[in-house]
Each structure stands twice: as structure tokens, then as C-alpha cells.
């Protein structure tokens, strides 16, 4: 069974009198374990699509089936519960909590799902931090970390609760190209090792190279959908 | 819990803002405690004034007289018969009793006239309840049966009244009264003493004359308005009043016994406590505004963080919880600080005292106070103002926290 099935997905933003059509009929299927990028020009609808997939927003028309569940009938609270347990987010501007250490920033995401023992929490947090290459930096606060390191914390935070899906909207936009590649390598590695499905958007051709499926969006429609090995 | 830890860390995050808001609350708490102590001191003092210079601890009086006492009627008087006085003298903790006859009068120095309260007293009995010896600034109290030349009555008046009438001991006064039959009569009196007490009402509006002189001028026979009593311990007065009232029923069923805490003037002092509540409300409002302001500032700063938390699946109420806890923490901090300041401030205030006599005249406000006011300790106020400070901090943060936490995660993450 596919992880995601989108049919006729449409999103129109109501801006007072003007209606802005951001997505116009997207049909897509994403299988479990895919490592997919969504790219396209600015304003093409990438963020809008990721928000819909991530249960942060609801479509104007069309359906999304997330792991067998139709999202259409769910209210805000139900969507929050799905996000809590099954979706990890990586943001362009990291959005770490500045008063917490790297360890605590990851820890609080795993505590949110409330399914592990105390001892296991510590093991998991340490393991995931080591896996993204942050061993030894656990006790640093965000302002004591570089941009790339912060984004690794964010990836660890998204992954630690073992979600079904990780969404990353332009995760490397604030990073230089070398760091961008490192961050993408980490994401690809986690995808291989944990089998977590990743969908990320980007403008950067260098970053796209890491994807195994490339979906191009133009004017709110799928312009190209290409897989490679 | 993790959210609790986060809230506490957030408290330390903006140390200055936390401290400023906590200081505002601390100051409000401190200010309230000082004011409360001052009002307590005033109330205590006005109780003492009334007890010491006017009312004693207990009053034996008919119910009808008590009901219209402010008119100083010459009806519903009592006769201090031996049975009654024996019962009075046998109450536990008895110190003294004094029968007095109060009446309305116009006092005149031959030029000016002023309305006053006339009070017929029997000096030795009177001294057993109300001690004025230290308050004579000129002359002294008249003696039993004393008459001046030509059968003129002696009289004692307050300092302020003496000043108003420009009289001193040795000068003459005329008291114009209406007797029991509504017939005008006069009491010719020579001033033997001038007193200056802590009670403005006594200073300004009272003329003491011998009880028998008053009884004769008013044609009331041997009757009096009431019998004042003094006990060893004022706090036992209400209990004693009840017991004595029961005993007196057999002598005269119209007799009643009232203790000092039932006096109208004391109830007025109690009303001052209401003013106290109002000040409390104003102060807590200040605390609430400080907290609301702080929560809004913090929320605006942490918008992206809130958005992230909500995107990760935090529920609105969980985000609210962190803010509310943070504000409550500020409230606790401010409360502790304020209570500590209050302990110091009230401590100083109880020892040093404030001299209000030169600043404002309190008599028009019904607070009979002259001289220094000392603060009183009121431990309950410390507890309540602290509790209110914390509770207000908690509740006033809920609405702004809700405003912050209910944001759509998308709008919070991408604030532009
Ligand atoms: N909240 C909104 N209200 C109104 N219009 C919006 C809103 N968000 C996006 N849009 C519009 O929808 C369209 C798609 O925007 P979206 O942000 O999804 O594009 P994008 O591909 O992510 O662009 P970028 O590469 O610049 O991030 C744009 O025309 C944009 O102006
Ligand atoms: Mg975008």
C-alpha cells in the first residue's frame, strides 16, 4: 500500500477579493521509503503542497489518503495527532528552541509521542544524534552550533519518534553548498538506514541530485515526475 | 514533565524581562502590604480612641435608646438602680462603670454659639472607665458636688472648642438645652479644665458637666442615658455583654448590653477595610497588565517556535500551559520578593510610625486620629496578597497565551 495518495488536489487561497490558485489538480502517489524532491520555480506551489501533505493545512478540493487514512474528514485536533505521531518536519530556519540543548531539543520531540520508557528515550536520542553526526555536541545550545549542525539537530528531532514521513521545505536554503550537501547526505543516509519516507523541496540542482524521485511543479501542477536509481 | 521544564527555562531566558515584571508585581504586593498595615493601624487606633475616650468596652442602655442614639433623646433612659449596678459590678473582669447623661446643647460664650454634645458625668465613676488625666492641657476635672461661685456649674471642654470660643479656665459658658418637656433651660458653667485628647470629636464637640447638674436642667430625675463599663480585656467584651444582657432581663426586659465592636463608628472603620479591597483590586490589575504585556511580548518573539511546536503536533492547551506556567513563575517570584519587602517595610512601620497630624486632618473622614500612626502586623494579608498575586498572574496569562497558542502553525512558522 502506498504511503500517500493524492487525487485532484486543489488549493485556492482566498485573499480578500482575489482568489490565488496555488495548486490545480495534483495527482501523486508516494510509496513507503521513497526519497523524493519537489522542485520548481518560486511560487509554483511547493510549500503549499508540503503543507497539505503534512496535515498543516486542508485542500480546497481533492483527497489525500495518508497511510490508508482519508484526511478529508478530520478536524484540526485529529490532524495535530497525526502530525504528532507520524510526521516529522525540518524547516528552512531550523526552528530549534534556543533555551534547550541539542539533546533536549530532540528529547522533547520523542517525549511528545509518549511511547518509550525513560531509559529508552535517552538511548534513542543519543543514537540519533550520533547518526546525524553530532556525537559530543549534545549539550550545546543552538546558538553554539553552526547552521549545518542546527539542521542536523532538526533532522534528528524529526526522526527520533520514528515517523512514517519526514517533510523538509527547502532544508538547505540557509546553508552554503558544501553544508547543504552534507545535510542531504545525512538525510539520504537516514532514509537508507531507517527506511523513513522523505519528501523535500528545493531550488538547488545540487541538492536535487540526492533524490531518487524528482517531481517538478509548475503553476500548481505536476510538470514532470521522474524516478532514478 | 517536559513542558514544565521548558517553562522554567523560558523564565531564565529573558532574565531582565522576568525580573522587571516580577519587580512590578513585587512592588504592587509591597505597596499593598504597607497600605494594609497603615489602614490596620488606623483602624486599631480609631477603635482605641472610641473605647478610651467615648464608649468604654460595654454599654448598658435600652434598645430603643440605642436605636436612635444619634438624636440624643431624653426618652427611653435608664435608672441606675442598685440591682442593676450590682449586676454590672459583678461581671467577670470588671474594672469600672460610669453612668452618663448625654444631651444636645448650644454652647455660647456670650458672642458666639456652637452646637455641642453635653455629657453629664460623675467624675470618680467616669475616671474608672475613661481616663482623661493625662489629657488636661489646662485646669483639671471638677470634683463631685463641686459648684463655683453663685452656684455656677463647673465644666470641662476640649481644646479645639476652647480655641473656637476663645475661652480658658475661669471663663463662663452658657449651655442652652431643651429639657424632657421640650422647655428651654440653661446651664451656666465655669470652665475648670481643657482637655486635648486623641479623639477629634471629644476635642471639638463635647462639654462635660456634673451628672446631677445635667439631670436637673433636663428634668430627667435620676435617670441616665447609659452606663459605660470597662473590663480587663476588651476581647472578652462580646461574651460578657451576652451574659450580662441575660441577667438584666430579670431586672428590666428593655435593657440591652452592647460591646465596643458593635458601635457604629467601629463599623465605619470596618468599611475602611472595603477601601482596602479596592486598593487590592487596583494593585492586582497592575500586576495583570504587566503579565499580559510580558506574555504578548514573549509570544511575538517566539512565534516561529510556537509554530514549530504546533506543527510537531503540540496541542493548543500544551502551548498555553508553558506560557501560563511561565507567568505563574513570574507571579511567584514577584510575590516572594514583595512579601520580603513587605516584611521589612511593615517591620519598620510598626516601630517608627507615621505622623499624619501635620499632613491631613482625618476627622472629616470619620477616622478619629491624631498623632502618629503605627503599622500593624496582619499575617493573613501577607498570605492573601501573595496568593492573589500568583493567581492573578496565572489567570491573566491565559487569554494572551491562548491568543499565541491558537495560531495556525503555517502562519506562525512563516510570519510574513
Ligand atoms: N497564505 C497564502 N495566502 C495567499 N496566497 C498564498 C499563500 N501562501 C502562498 N500563496 C500563493 O500561492 C502560490 C504558491 O505559493 P507557495 O508558497 O506554495 O510556492 P513555493 O513553490 O513554495 O514558492 P517558493 O519557492 O518561493 O517557496 C503563490 O502564488 C503564493 O503567492
Ligand atoms: Mg516555498
Amino acid at each position: 500500500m502506498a504511503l500517500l495518495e493524492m487525487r485532484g488536489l486543489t488549493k485556492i487561497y482566498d485573499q480578500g477579493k482575489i482568489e490565488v490558485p496555488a495548486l490545480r489538480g495534483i495527482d501523486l502517489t508516494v510509496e513507503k521509503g521513497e526519497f523524493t524532491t519537489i522542485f520548481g520555480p518560486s511560487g509554483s506551489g511547493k510549500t503549499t503542497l508540503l503543507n497539505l501533505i503534512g496535515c498543516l493545512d486542508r485542500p480546497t478540493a481533492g483527497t489525500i489518503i495518508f497511510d490508508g487514512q482519508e484526511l478529508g474528514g478530520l478536524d484540526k485536533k485529529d490532524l495535530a495527532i497525526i502530525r504528532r505521531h507520524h510526521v516529522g518536519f525540518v524547516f528552512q530556519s531550523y526552528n530549534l528552541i534556543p533555551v534547550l540543548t541539542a539533546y533536549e531539543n530532540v528529547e522533547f520531540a520523542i517525549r511528545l509521542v509518549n511511547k518509550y520508557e525513560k531509559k529508552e528515550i535517552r538511548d534513542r536520542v543519543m543514537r540519533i544524534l550520533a547518526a546525524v553526526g553530532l556525537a559530543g555536541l549534545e549539550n550545546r545550545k543552538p546558538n553554539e552550533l553552526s547552521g549545518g549542525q542546527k539542521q542536523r539537530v532538526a533532522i534528528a528531532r524529526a526522526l527520533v519518534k520514528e515517523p512514517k514521513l519526514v517533510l523538509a521545505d527547502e532544508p538547505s536554503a540557509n546553508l552554503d553548498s558544501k553544508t547543504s550537501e552534507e545535510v542531504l547526505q545525512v538525510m539520504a543516509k537516514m532514509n537508507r538506514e531507517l527506511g523513513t519516507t522523505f519528501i523535500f523541496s528545493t531550488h538547488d540542482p545540487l541538492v536535487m541530485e540526492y533524490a531518487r524521485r524528482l517531481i517538478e511543479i509548475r503553476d500548481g501542477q505536476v510538470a514532470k515526475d521522474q524516478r532514478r536509481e | 514533565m517536559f513542558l514544565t521544564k521548558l517553562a522554567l527555562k523560558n523564565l531564565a531566558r529573558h532574565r531582565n524581562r522576568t525580573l522587571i515584571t516580577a519587580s512590578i508585581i513585587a512592588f504592587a504586593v509591597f505597596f499593598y502590604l504597607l497600605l494594609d498595615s497603615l489602614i490596620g493601624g488606623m483602624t486599631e487606633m480609631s477603635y482605641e480612641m472610641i473605647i478610651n475616650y467615648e464608649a468604654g468596652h460595654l454599654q448598658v442602655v435600652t434598645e430603643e435608646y440605642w436605636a436612635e442614639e444619634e438624636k440624643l433623646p431624653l426618652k427611653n433612659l435608664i435608672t441606675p438602680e442598685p440591682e442593676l449596678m450590682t449586676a454590672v459590678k459583678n461581671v467577670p473582669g470588671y474594672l469600672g462603670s460610669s453612668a452618663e447623661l448625654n444631651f444636645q446643647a448650644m454652647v455660647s460664650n456670650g458672642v458666639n454659639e456652637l452646637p455641642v454634645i453635653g455629657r453629664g458625668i460623675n467624675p470618680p465613676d467616669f475616671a474608672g472607665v475613661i481616663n482623661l488625666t493625662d489629657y488636661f492641657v489646662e485646669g483639671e476635672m471638677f470634683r463631685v458636688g463641686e459648684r463655683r461661685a453663685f452656684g455656677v456649674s463647673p465644666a470641662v471642654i476640649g481644646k479645639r472648642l476652647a480655641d473656637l470660643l476663645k475661652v480658658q479656665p475661669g471663663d463662663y459658658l452658657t449651655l442652652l438645652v431643651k429639657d424632657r418637656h421640650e422647655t428651654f433651660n440653661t446651664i451656666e458653667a465655669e470652665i475648670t479644665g481643657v482637655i486635648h485628647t486623641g479623639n477629634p470629636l471629644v476635642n471639638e464637640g463635647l462639654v462635660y458637666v456634673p451628672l446631677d447638674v445635667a439631670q436637673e436642667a433636663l428634668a430627667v430625675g435620676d435617670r441616665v442615658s447609659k452606663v459605660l463599663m470597662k473590663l480587663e480585656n476588651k476581647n472578652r467584651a462580646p461574651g460578657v455583654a451576652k451574659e450580662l444582657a441575660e441577667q438584666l432581663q430579670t431586672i428590666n426586659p428593655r435593657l440591652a448590653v452592647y460591646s465596643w465592636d458593635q458601635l457604629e463608628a467601629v463599623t465605619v472603620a470596618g468599611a475602611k477595610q472595603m477601601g482596602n479591597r479596592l486598593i487590592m483590586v487596583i494593585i492586582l490589575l497592575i500586576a495583570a497588565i504587566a503579565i499580559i504585556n510580558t506574555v504578548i511580548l514573549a509570544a511575538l518573539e517566539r512565534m516561529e517556535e510556537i509554530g514549530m511546536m504546533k506543527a510537531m503536533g503540540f496541542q493548543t492547551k500544551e502551548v498555553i500551559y508553558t506560557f501560563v506556567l511561565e507567568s505563574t513563575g513570574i507571579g511567584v517570584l514577584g510575590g516572594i520578593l514583595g512579601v520580603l519587602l513587605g516584611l521589612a517595610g511593615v517591620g519598620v512601620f510598626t516601630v517608627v510610625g507615621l505622623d499624619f497630624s501635620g499632613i491631613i486632618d482625618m476627622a472629616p473622614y470619620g477616622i478619629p486620629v491624631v498623632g502618629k500612626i503605627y503599622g500593624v502586623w496582619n499575617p493573613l494579608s501577607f498570605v492573601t496578597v501573595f496568593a492573589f498575586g500568583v493567581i492573578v498572574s496565572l489567570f491573566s496569562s491565559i487569554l494572551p497565551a491562548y491568543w499565541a497558542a491558537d495560531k495556525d502553525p503555517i502562519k506562525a512558522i512563516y510570519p510574513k
Side-chain angles (χ1 to χ4, degrees):
Chain A
M1 190 178 55
L3 179 67
L4 280 167
E5 278 196 51
M6 293 162 250
R7 294 287 164 261
L9 214 52
T10 303
K11 179 74 188 179
I12 299 168
Y13 289 108
D14 232 348
Q15 273 209 325
K17 281 181 197 138
I18 321 158
E19 290 192 335
V20 184
L23 296 178
R24 332 178 194 212
I26 301 256
D27 297 317
L28 271 178
T29 303
V30 178
E31 300 296 332
K32 283 179 185 154
E34 280 195 284
F35 196 69
T36 303
T37 187
I38 293 173
F39 69 100
S42 186
S44 56
K46 304 182 293 293
T47 299
T48 305
L49 181 59
L50 286 179
N51 287 345
L52 292 181
I53 296 172
C55 304
L56 287 169
D57 204 355
R58 274 181 286 194
T60 313
T63 57
I64 308 177
I65 296 169
F66 184 103
D67 202 27
Q69 166 140 43
E70 156 80 70
L71 299 182
L74 302 181
D75 64 14
K76 260 188 178 178
K77 217 173 156 190
D78 294 331
L79 291 177
I81 290 169
I82 293 186
R83 293 200 301 270
R84 190 173 186 134
H85 292 280
H86 305 305
V87 187
F89 290 93
V90 176
F91 303 101
Q92 181 182 326
S93 46
Y94 329 123
N95 293 40
L96 301 178
I97 298 181
V99 286
L100 302 181
T101 62
Y103 177 87
E104 289 164 336
N105 263 289
V106 176
E107 184 196 15
F108 105 104
I110 193 169
R111 285 199 185 258
L112 196 58
V113 295
N114 220 356
K115 68 178 181 193
Y116 304 103
E117 299 282 321
K118 231 179 171 178
K119 167 93 177 58
E120 206 187 339
I121 287 177
R122 184 162 177 84
D123 289 348
R124 283 183 175 272
V125 174
M126 293 308 275
R127 221 183 307 136
I128 199 87
L129 280 170
V132 298
L134 289 175
L137 302 181
E138 296 88 354
N139 292 323
R140 296 238 187 132
K141 295 260 175 76
N143 64 0
E144 299 159 345
L145 296 170
S146 71
Q149 288 167 334
K150 278 190 249 198
Q151 202 56 304
R152 287 164 196 246
V153 176
I155 293 166
R157 180 179 66 187
L159 283 168
V160 72
K161 64 185 178 189
E162 299 187 309
K164 292 176 177 154
L165 174 65
V166 172
L167 296 174
D169 193 9
E170 311 206 29
S172 61
N174 286 353
L175 303 173
D176 62 53
S177 53
K178 184 168 163 283
T179 319
S180 294
E181 287 199 65
E182 284 169 12
V183 164
L184 260 292
Q185 279 159 7
V186 168
M187 282 170 51
K189 169 173 171 257
M190 300 317 288
N191 166 258
R192 274 196 313 275
E193 288 176 5
L194 302 174
T196 314
T197 313
F198 275 78
I199 305 176
F200 60 94
S201 73
T202 189
H203 281 110
D204 185 349
L206 215 70
V207 165
M208 283 174 227
E209 286 307 305
Y210 287 87
R212 274 180 283 126
R213 179 176 177 190
L214 294 95
I215 299 169
E216 186 181 358
I217 304 264
R218 270 182 193 279
D219 294 330
Q221 284 174 317
V222 178
K224 216 192 269 170
D225 185 354
Q226 166 195 359
R227 286 171 208 263
R228 47 180 206 197
E229 285 319 309
Chain B
M1 197 175 134
F2 197 82
L3 291 174
T4 308
K5 189 169 149 194
L6 178 61
L8 294 181
K9 291 203 170 184
N10 275 334
L11 264 183
R13 173 178 189 173
H14 298 288
R15 198 168 298 134
N16 289 344
R17 194 157 66 205
T18 299
L19 284 180
I20 288 170
T21 312
S23 308
I24 293 172
I25 294 170
F27 204 76
V29 165
F30 168 66
F31 191 69
Y32 173 82
L33 288 172
L34 272 196
L35 222 59
D36 179 73
S37 173
L38 168 70
I39 292 175
M42 279 186 187
T43 310
E44 188 68 19
M45 193 176 221
S46 55
Y47 288 170
E48 292 299 321
M49 295 292 154
I50 292 162
I51 291 170
N52 290 343
Y53 305 126
E54 273 211 78
H57 290 147
L58 293 176
Q59 306 191 19
V60 180
V61 64
T62 64
E63 275 172 38
E64 295 86 346
Y65 184 88
W66 181 263
E68 44 186 37
E69 190 185 5
E70 69 273 24
K71 290 191 231 150
L72 304 175
L74 296 172
K75 289 179 300 187
N76 302 313
L77 302 180
I78 59 177
T79 310
E81 48 210 329
E83 272 174 293
L84 168 61
M85 295 316 286
T86 310
V88 161
K89 286 178 178 140
N90 283 331
V91 301
Y94 172 86
L95 278 184
S97 63
S98 168
E100 63 177 41
L101 177 62
N102 291 315
F103 54 96
Q104 293 181 352
M106 293 298 292
V107 65
S108 160
N109 58 0
V111 184
N112 298 316
E113 265 191 357
L114 287 171
V116 292
I117 295 172
R119 182 163 291 171
I121 56 166
N122 196 27
D125 294 346
F126 181 73
V129 179
I130 288 171
N131 183 4
L132 294 181
T133 18
D134 292 342
Y135 300 97
F136 276 88
V137 286
E138 288 171 274
E140 56 185 10
M141 181 54 88
F142 44 79
R143 284 176 298 283
V144 184
E146 178 179 345
R147 292 292 179 277
R148 312 301 293 178
F150 311 109
V152 166
S153 164
V156 167
I157 66 172
K159 176 83 171 78
R160 180 136 170 80
L161 184 61
D163 290 345
L164 286 172
L165 293 170
K166 300 192 177 66
V167 291
Q168 55 188 40
D171 290 342
Y172 290 92
L173 291 175
T174 305
L175 286 168
L176 180 66
V177 298
K178 256 196 226 167
D179 74 9
R180 197 160 68 91
H181 312 293
E182 301 277 306
T183 311
F184 282 102
N185 202 352
T186 56
I187 299 171
E188 298 298 330
E190 181 187 332
I191 297 165
T192 63
V194 174
I195 50 171
H196 185 53
T197 73
N199 186 336
L201 305 174
V202 174
N203 282 341
E204 208 172 316
L206 256 181
V207 176
Y208 294 99
V209 294
L211 179 59
D212 51 344
V213 170
Q215 284 170 330
E216 196 186 322
L218 298 162
V220 296
D222 61 353
R223 279 166 289 181
V224 298
S225 308
K226 52 172 122 172
V227 177
L228 305 187
M229 296 171 63
K230 184 150 187 174
L231 304 178
E232 280 161 8
N233 181 350
K234 78 169 180 192
N235 295 325
R236 296 194 53 196
V240 172
K242 231 171 143 186
E243 281 170 35
L244 182 60
E246 272 167 32
Q247 280 182 43
L248 296 185
Q249 286 305 297
T250 57
I251 301 168
N252 179 352
R254 289 167 60 212
L255 287 177
V257 184
Y258 296 97
S259 61
W260 61 274
D261 58 314
Q262 291 166 287
L263 294 170
E264 203 171 319
V266 174
T267 336
V268 169
K272 296 280 174 300
Q273 300 280 1
M274 291 297 296
N276 218 2
R277 299 287 120 76
L278 191 76
I279 294 161
M280 171 96 116
V281 168
I282 293 170
I283 280 169
L284 292 177
L285 219 64
I286 295 171
I289 290 168
I291 286 283
I292 290 170
N293 182 50
T294 304
V295 173
I296 290 175
L297 278 179
L300 287 174
E301 252 171 37
R302 287 181 220 157
M303 208 39 104
E304 294 184 30
E305 194 178 314
I306 295 166
M308 176 274 295
M309 288 173 76
K310 295 215 65 186
M312 285 176 67
F314 272 90
Q315 285 165 25
T316 304
K317 65 176 183 212
E318 291 170 314
V319 180
I320 292 175
Y321 175 83
T322 60
F323 277 104
V324 168
L325 199 72
E326 196 177 328
S327 305
T328 309
I330 295 177
V332 170
L333 199 68
I336 291 173
L337 236 85
V339 163
L340 289 179
L341 283 173
L343 283 172
V346 172
V348 169
F349 195 21
T350 52
V351 176
V352 176
L354 272 181
D355 195 349
F356 273 89
S357 55
I359 307 172
I360 30 171
D361 184 7
M362 299 294 231
Y365 309 106
I367 307 172
V369 169
V370 292
K372 276 192 170 181
I373 297 172
Y374 291 88
V376 292
W377 285 108
N378 191 354
L380 192 67
S381 292
F382 282 78
V383 177
T384 41
V385 77
F386 177 79
F388 270 95
V390 173
I391 291 169
V392 163
S393 304
L394 195 160
F395 279 97
S396 55
S397 65
I398 291 178
L399 214 66
Y402 181 81
W403 164 80
D406 196 42
K407 285 260 149 38
D408 189 344
I410 298 175
K411 292 203 180 103
I413 298 170
Y414 311 103
K416 335 150 251 46

